[in-house]
Amino acid sequence: MTLYREQAVLFECGLNRLFGIVATPEAATDVGVLILVGGPQYRVGSHRQFTLLARSLAEAGIASLRFDFTGMGDSEGPKREFDSTEEDIFAAIDALFRSVPTMTRVVLWGLCDAASSAMMFGNRDPRVAGMILLNPWVHNGEYSPQVKLAHYYRPAFSRKEQWRRLFSGKIRLAPAFKELARDALALIRRPSITLIRRPSGRSYIEEMLYGLQRFRHDVLIVLSDADLTAREFSTLTAHDSQWHAAISSPAISVHTIIGADHTFSEKRWKDEVSRLTIDWVLNQ
């Protein structure tokens, strides 16, 4: 086990200062990891996920930075949406390289919409030599009803325990069946979904695909077996020809963690993510 130190860093991003924690091993490899926080979280993560990951990386000799995006945690400024974090990511990469001068490359690691951000912006910085993407966020309403019906309602209502809970009053019948009917109707109607267009003219999902297609390094995609976000991503890549072609690239590997939920809340799942991350980074 390699000795390491953790140090707080403040770095500028436009007019704001962002706060992060760098974990630096005594003898760091030349590749580090930038941990991108997904959703309305800060640098610690759900059940200390990002803290534990950073420490596992450091023990394996890999430096990392986990930080708060603009407007989140201890960082200054108004909150930014995940598809507008390019400046934050590049500023954080700068900060990590300043903190670890022996680094020559960085891997972006992101969960949920942070994985989406990495896909969108990773190809724009030549220092990014790989990406690890966990349960990427591609929600747009088109596949969500199909995914929920196949992977949520069907398993739930096939269990006797759920029916007992329904008829015992533990689950309110009207809201439960109202939601089920709404999702079934949405699947039948298949309305055309209009996503917000970015200045490029592409939606954020199209921007993710565009970035992934132009990324020239290896990518590891980690999916949770029991997560609707992961299921929606899998459904998109199975049914959309361009996404399917992109994911089929020899540079991209996909690993599913059986039984895991969205944030890998159990220790065994977190440990598996850490092992996958460390092995993958050390082989780059």
Side-chain angles (χ1 to χ4, degrees):
M1 183 175 68
T2 303
L3 296 177
Y4 65 91
R5 63 186 177 89
E6 291 181 304
Q7 182 176 1
V9 292
L10 273 175
F11 56 95
E12 292 185 356
C13 178
L15 299 176
N16 302 310
R17 293 179 303 170
L18 307 189
F19 185 89
I21 304 290
V22 176
T24 310
E26 282 190 348
T29 62
D30 69 332
V31 58
V33 175
L34 180 64
I35 299 172
L36 304 178
V37 176
Q41 299 185 63
Y42 76 126
R43 63 190 179 275
V44 172
S46 299
H47 39 80
R48 302 178 67 240
Q49 180 181 19
F50 306 138
T51 298
L52 297 174
L53 173 65
R55 291 173 180 173
S56 294
L57 289 169
E59 289 173 354
I62 303 166
S64 69
L65 168 62
R66 50 191 174 89
F67 72 102
D68 298 335
F69 279 109
T70 298
M72 299 299 293
D74 293 308
S75 292
E76 298 174 343
K79 182 182 180 300
R80 290 177 173 171
E81 295 302 323
F82 72 94
D83 58 349
S84 302
T85 55
E86 180 179 14
E87 188 179 7
D88 296 57
I89 293 172
F90 294 164
I93 293 175
D94 289 341
L96 181 55
F97 271 83
R98 285 194 300 270
S99 300
V100 190
T102 57
M103 272 181 49
T104 61
R105 301 170 293 150
V106 66
V107 168
L108 300 183
W109 188 105
L111 168 67
C112 193
D113 59 21
S116 306
S117 299
M119 262 193 230
M120 295 170 71
F121 306 127
N123 73 101
R124 303 182 188 180
D125 193 315
R127 296 170 294 180
V128 178
M131 297 190 296
I132 300 177
L133 312 170
L134 295 86
N135 300 329
W137 175 259
V138 293
H139 182 74
N140 67 359
E142 181 176 359
Y143 291 114
S144 180
Q146 176 181 339
V147 171
K148 288 172 73 176
L149 285 168
H151 301 290
Y152 177 72
Y153 294 117
R154 186 182 299 161
F157 289 107
S158 65
R159 296 193 294 267
K160 292 181 180 179
E161 179 186 354
Q162 289 294 87
W163 286 105
R164 283 198 296 268
R165 293 181 65 203
L166 274 171
F167 292 114
S168 66
K170 292 181 179 179
I171 297 178
R172 294 176 62 192
L173 284 169
F177 284 111
K178 183 179 179 180
E179 183 179 3
L180 174 60
R182 185 188 66 232
D183 289 328
L185 186 60
L187 182 59
I188 294 170
R189 287 179 174 174
R190 283 286 185 172
S192 58
I193 303 299
T194 303
L195 295 179
I196 296 174
R197 297 285 160 176
R198 296 167 52 80
S200 64
R202 294 182 288 267
S203 69
Y204 86 85
I205 294 177
E206 292 168 338
E207 198 76 58
M208 289 167 61
L209 176 61
Y210 183 85
L212 188 63
Q213 290 170 329
R214 282 151 186 78
F215 191 68
R216 301 308 177 200
H217 304 282
D218 290 345
V219 177
L220 171 63
I221 297 174
V222 180
L223 300 176
S224 296
D225 175 56
D227 175 44
L228 292 179
T229 298
R231 299 281 189 177
E232 195 162 1
F233 179 80
S234 296
T235 301
L236 171 66
T237 58
H239 289 82
D240 185 287
S241 59
Q242 291 189 72
W243 271 101
H244 182 73
I247 295 300
S248 300
S249 165
I252 298 179
S253 54
V254 181
H255 181 90
T256 299
I257 297 184
I258 302 302
D261 57 23
H262 184 65
T263 57
F264 307 92
S265 60
E266 292 190 13
K267 184 179 185 300
R268 58 193 172 108
W269 299 330
K270 285 197 291 287
D271 289 346
E272 186 170 350
V273 168
S274 293
R275 286 194 300 270
L276 284 169
T277 299
I278 291 167
D279 291 345
W280 192 88
V281 170
L282 292 178
N283 283 313
Q284 295 309 299

